[in-house]
């Protein structure tokens, strides 16, 4: 007996629609490896319709006083709380994530982030107006950029959608957002929530639009003539393609791409505490996090003790079913990602040693065991390239100089952490580590008030914080003659 697949649809100008040409793609639950829904495979006509809706809605949304946009965002946050169980179920099915962790680790920060940007809507700061030339007064206007084309990733589809739409809407922009083709369900549900709020408060539902599709759909969005800005969270390759496409008409680009976070552990560290925190930060969400603590550099004097403790922690870390409250993480997101993680393990050099894990778990879904690999060298593939899986690598360094050299010696520069009791050393490391974030004696906490974003091939632009809000605005100088 075949179970009917759920039908997901685009959300354009306040209506749920199939793709104009009727094409669909199957959506697979990574915990089972089985399809559970179909989603539109949107093409040019769908992108045109979504952009037209966002463009038409923009003038009225732009011209609202900030307090009115704040009301909308606060109501959206309230509705997220009211419909939390629906969002949790959608995201768990989207990603195979443990239900308890989505409830505790994703819903509260998302609601908080929406409320933060609701407040940011009323904090449009500029430099002081004044007379910088005799006889003239200059003022600064902070304005929205226009329609924003946004592409969200599959690792945190629900939260990354929030990181994109909340600052954009708060600043007065309108949005067309595309979820990953493997994880559209929660974003479609978000469209229903936001659309209902816009309708209740008397605003055009064209302010927020969702189109489902693949890489070609994303390309059409970025190259479309309407958007003033393209924002993507994804791979370095995808970011480069977006930057190239957007350059054809000089669109603004906001990129949050890959990471290869160094976790630098010095010999004065509390090993038990560091191992506990690092293993959670490395394996949470199956290591599918650009900031995951998966590249450990540990001082040689404590290397063996640290590796043994980390391997023990890995053996005690559990992956499994979404309703098991004892699991730390669920499956990898899709079959291609499982293949990629397996490939890194299969290609390990002879000098590498698998201390724990290293294999697929179970006979269905895309689960992979918590893994520790030691004995690695700086130029090894698994050290240099993002695995995006539950695999923690360990290197041994001799001194602070070598630790900095190896930590910075990758193409990514998103996040990092330093583990030491020496305050002066921590301050030196925070200065010399070339990453957008440096955590000290912790790894992975984020707050709405502080920026998230990197350097080098990790992209540019900031998410969260007032800096993230600023990215969705433009600056206009107005000069007035005092002669009347």
């Amino acid at each position: 007996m075949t179970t009917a697949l759920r039908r997901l649809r685009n959300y354009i100008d306040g209506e749920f629609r199939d793709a104009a040409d009727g094409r669909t793609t199957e959506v697979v639950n990574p915990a089972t490896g089985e399809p559970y829904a179909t989603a539109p495979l949107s093409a040019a006509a769908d992108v045109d319709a979504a952009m037209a809706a966002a463009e038409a809605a923009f003038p009225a949304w732009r011209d609202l006083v900030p307090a009115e946009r704040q009301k909308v965002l606060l109501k959206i946050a309230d509705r997220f709380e009211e419909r939390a169980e629906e969002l949790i179920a959608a995201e768990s099915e989207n990603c195979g994530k443990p239900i308890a962790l989505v409830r505790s680790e994703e819903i509260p920060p998302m609601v908080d982030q929406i409320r933060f940007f609701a407040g940011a809507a009323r904090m449009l700061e500029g430099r002081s107006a004044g007379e910088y030339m005799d006889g003239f007064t200059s003022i600064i206007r902070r304005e929205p950029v226009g329609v924003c084309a946004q592409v969200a990733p599959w690792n945190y589809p629900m939260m990354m959608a929030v990181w994109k739409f909340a600052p954009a809407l708060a600043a007065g922009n309108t949005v067309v957002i595309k979820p990953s083709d493997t994880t559209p369900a929660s974003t479609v549900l978000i469209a229903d929530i936001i659309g209902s709020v816009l309708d209740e408060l008397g605003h055009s539902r064209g302010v927020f639009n969702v189109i489902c599709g693949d890489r070609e759909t994303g390309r059409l969005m970025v190259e479309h003539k309407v958007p003033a800005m393209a924002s993507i969270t994804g791979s370095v390759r995808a970011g480069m393609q977006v930057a190239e496409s957007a350059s054809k008409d000089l669109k603004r680009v906001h990129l949050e791409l890959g990471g290869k976070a160094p976790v630098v552990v010095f010999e004065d560290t509390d090993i038990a505490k560091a191992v506990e925190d690092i293993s959670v930060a490395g394996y949470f969400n199956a290591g599918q996090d650009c900031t995951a603590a998966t590249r450990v550099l540990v001082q040689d004097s404590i290397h063996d003790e640290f590796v043994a403790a980390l391997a023990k922690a890995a053996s005690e870390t559990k992956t499994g079913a979404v309703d098991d409250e004892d699991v730390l993480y669920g499956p990898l997101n899709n079959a291609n990602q499982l293949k990629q993680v397996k490939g890194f393990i299969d290609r390990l050099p002879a000098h590498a040693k698998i201390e724990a894990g290293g294999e697929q778990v179970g006979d269905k879904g895309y689960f992979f065991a918590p893994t520790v690999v030691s004995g690695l060298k700086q130029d090894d593939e698994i050290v240099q390239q993002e695995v995006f899986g539950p695999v923690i690598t360990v290197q041994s360094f001799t001194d602070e100089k070598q630790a900095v050299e190896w930590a910075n010696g990758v193409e990514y520069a998103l996040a990092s952490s330093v583990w030491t009791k020496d305050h002066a050393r921590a301050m030196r490391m925070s200065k010399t580590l070339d990453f957008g974030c440096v955590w000290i004696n912790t790894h992975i906490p984020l707050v709405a008030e502080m920026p998230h974003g990197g350097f080098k091939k990790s992209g540019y632009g900031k998410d969260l914080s007032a800096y993230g809000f600023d990215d969705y605005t433009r600056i206009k100088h107005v000069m007035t003659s005092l002669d009347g």
Side-chain angles (χ1 to χ4, degrees):
M1 184 174 178
T2 302
T3 303
L5 300 181
R6 189 186 321 156
R7 179 182 169 198
L8 303 173
R9 293 186 291 175
N10 293 331
Y11 186 81
I12 299 173
D13 204 15
E15 297 179 350
F16 285 102
R17 309 180 188 180
D18 295 322
D21 61 8
R23 290 193 303 157
T24 63
T25 183
E26 286 189 337
V27 185
V28 173
N29 183 332
T32 65
E34 298 295 330
Y36 70 91
T38 63
L41 189 55
S42 300
D46 309 296
V47 174
D48 286 343
M51 294 301 175
E55 185 177 36
F58 174 64
W61 185 252
R62 173 198 62 201
D63 293 341
L64 285 176
V65 295
E68 290 302 312
R69 292 197 296 271
Q70 181 189 47
K71 286 181 184 179
V72 174
L73 285 161
L74 290 175
K75 177 69 77 172
I76 291 170
D78 292 344
R79 198 61 51 83
F80 267 55
E81 287 185 321
E82 293 165 12
R83 300 181 65 176
E85 293 306 313
E86 293 176 69
L87 289 164
I88 292 164
E91 192 72 341
S92 182
E93 197 167 33
N94 248 348
C95 308
K97 294 184 181 184
I99 291 170
L101 287 174
V102 178
R103 182 179 290 115
S104 64
E105 303 300 323
E106 296 201 29
I107 296 295
M110 287 193 307
V111 170
D112 180 67
Q113 289 152 8
I114 296 169
R115 288 176 176 152
F116 170 82
F117 284 113
R122 301 180 71 168
M123 291 294 290
L124 290 165
E125 296 180 349
R127 293 184 178 178
S128 175
E131 290 66 52
Y132 299 94
M133 180 182 290
D134 287 343
F136 297 88
T137 295
S138 288
I139 63 173
I140 294 294
R141 290 182 58 89
R142 181 76 64 83
E143 301 176 342
V145 297
V147 175
C148 296
Q150 302 182 320
V151 179
W154 49 250
N155 59 332
Y156 292 100
M158 188 163 61
M159 187 176 289
M160 294 302 99
V162 167
W163 286 20
K164 293 189 180 302
F165 80 72
L169 296 185
N173 304 285
T174 54
V175 165
V176 178
I177 188 168
K178 187 190 86 68
S180 168
D181 56 338
T182 67
T183 56
S186 56
T187 312
V188 171
L189 179 56
I190 287 172
D192 183 57
I193 292 172
I194 294 178
S196 67
V197 170
L198 290 167
D199 194 43
E200 288 172 21
L201 297 181
H203 303 294
S204 169
R205 288 185 285 181
V207 166
F208 182 82
N209 306 270
V210 173
I211 53 174
C212 303
D214 58 9
R215 290 175 182 170
E216 176 63 12
T217 312
R219 184 189 66 79
L220 291 169
M221 287 174 58
V222 173
E223 293 185 356
H224 200 278
K225 60 181 176 57
V226 166
M229 179 175 178
S231 170
I232 179 175
T233 300
S235 68
V236 173
R237 178 179 55 80
M240 289 178 171
Q241 291 171 346
V242 166
E244 182 178 2
S245 295
S247 70
K248 295 175 182 177
D249 58 359
L250 296 179
K251 284 185 179 69
R252 285 193 178 202
V253 178
H254 182 281
L255 303 175
E256 199 275 277
L257 309 177
K260 195 67 181 175
V263 181
V264 185
V265 182
F266 286 95
E267 61 186 357
D268 62 342
T269 300
D270 180 333
I271 293 177
K273 183 66 167 62
V275 165
E276 179 183 358
D277 291 354
I278 291 167
S279 61
V280 171
Y283 297 133
F284 188 82
N285 202 38
Q288 297 171 127
D289 190 313
C290 298
T291 63
T294 55
R295 182 167 66 105
V296 175
L297 294 86
V298 60
Q299 197 154 21
D300 51 10
S301 58
I302 61 168
H303 173 269
D304 293 351
E305 181 182 358
F306 188 92
V307 169
L310 192 60
K312 183 175 185 292
S315 69
E316 295 170 351
T317 300
K318 187 176 178 182
T319 181
V322 299
D323 56 355
D324 186 342
E325 296 192 1
D326 292 329
V327 306
L328 177 65
Y329 67 88
L332 295 166
N333 181 261
N334 54 73
N336 285 338
Q337 189 59 25
L338 176 62
K339 181 180 179 181
Q340 174 170 308
V341 173
K342 284 182 173 179
F344 275 101
I345 299 301
D346 292 343
R347 295 189 301 272
L348 283 173
H351 55 260
K353 180 182 178 183
I354 298 175
E355 303 279 355
E359 70 280 331
Q360 186 175 354
V361 176
D363 57 1
K364 66 176 183 178
Y366 311 129
F367 296 90
F368 201 83
T371 299
V372 176
V373 182
S374 67
L376 293 164
K377 299 179 180 179
Q378 179 66 10
D379 59 355
D380 288 336
E381 178 197 32
I382 200 169
V383 169
Q384 291 293 319
Q385 300 301 317
E386 188 173 34
V387 178
F388 224 56
V391 179
I392 296 178
T393 64
V394 184
Q395 297 167 259
S396 175
F397 69 85
T398 56
D399 55 26
E400 187 175 322
K401 179 181 178 182
Q402 187 178 61
V404 170
E405 179 185 347
W406 285 359
N408 289 340
V410 294
E411 293 184 326
Y412 303 93
L414 182 58
S416 59
S417 64
V418 179
W419 301 75
T420 181
K421 296 176 182 177
D422 185 330
H423 177 74
R425 174 191 284 151
M427 291 298 97
R428 290 194 302 272
M429 293 293 291
S430 66
K431 175 185 176 182
T432 54
L433 285 173
D434 189 19
F435 295 84
C437 175
V438 181
W439 286 292
I440 298 173
N441 295 326
T442 188
H443 194 108
I444 227 165
L446 296 169
V447 292
E449 294 86 351
M450 291 292 114
H452 175 83
F455 316 132
K456 294 160 61 174
K457 286 191 175 179
S458 289
Y460 43 82
K462 298 296 183 184
D463 289 312
L464 302 177
S465 78
Y467 299 99
F469 180 73
D470 287 349
D471 282 352
Y472 286 93
T473 67
R474 66 184 190 181
I475 305 300
K476 178 184 288 183
H477 170 221
V478 179
M479 180 178 267
T480 303
S481 171
L482 299 181
D483 290 340

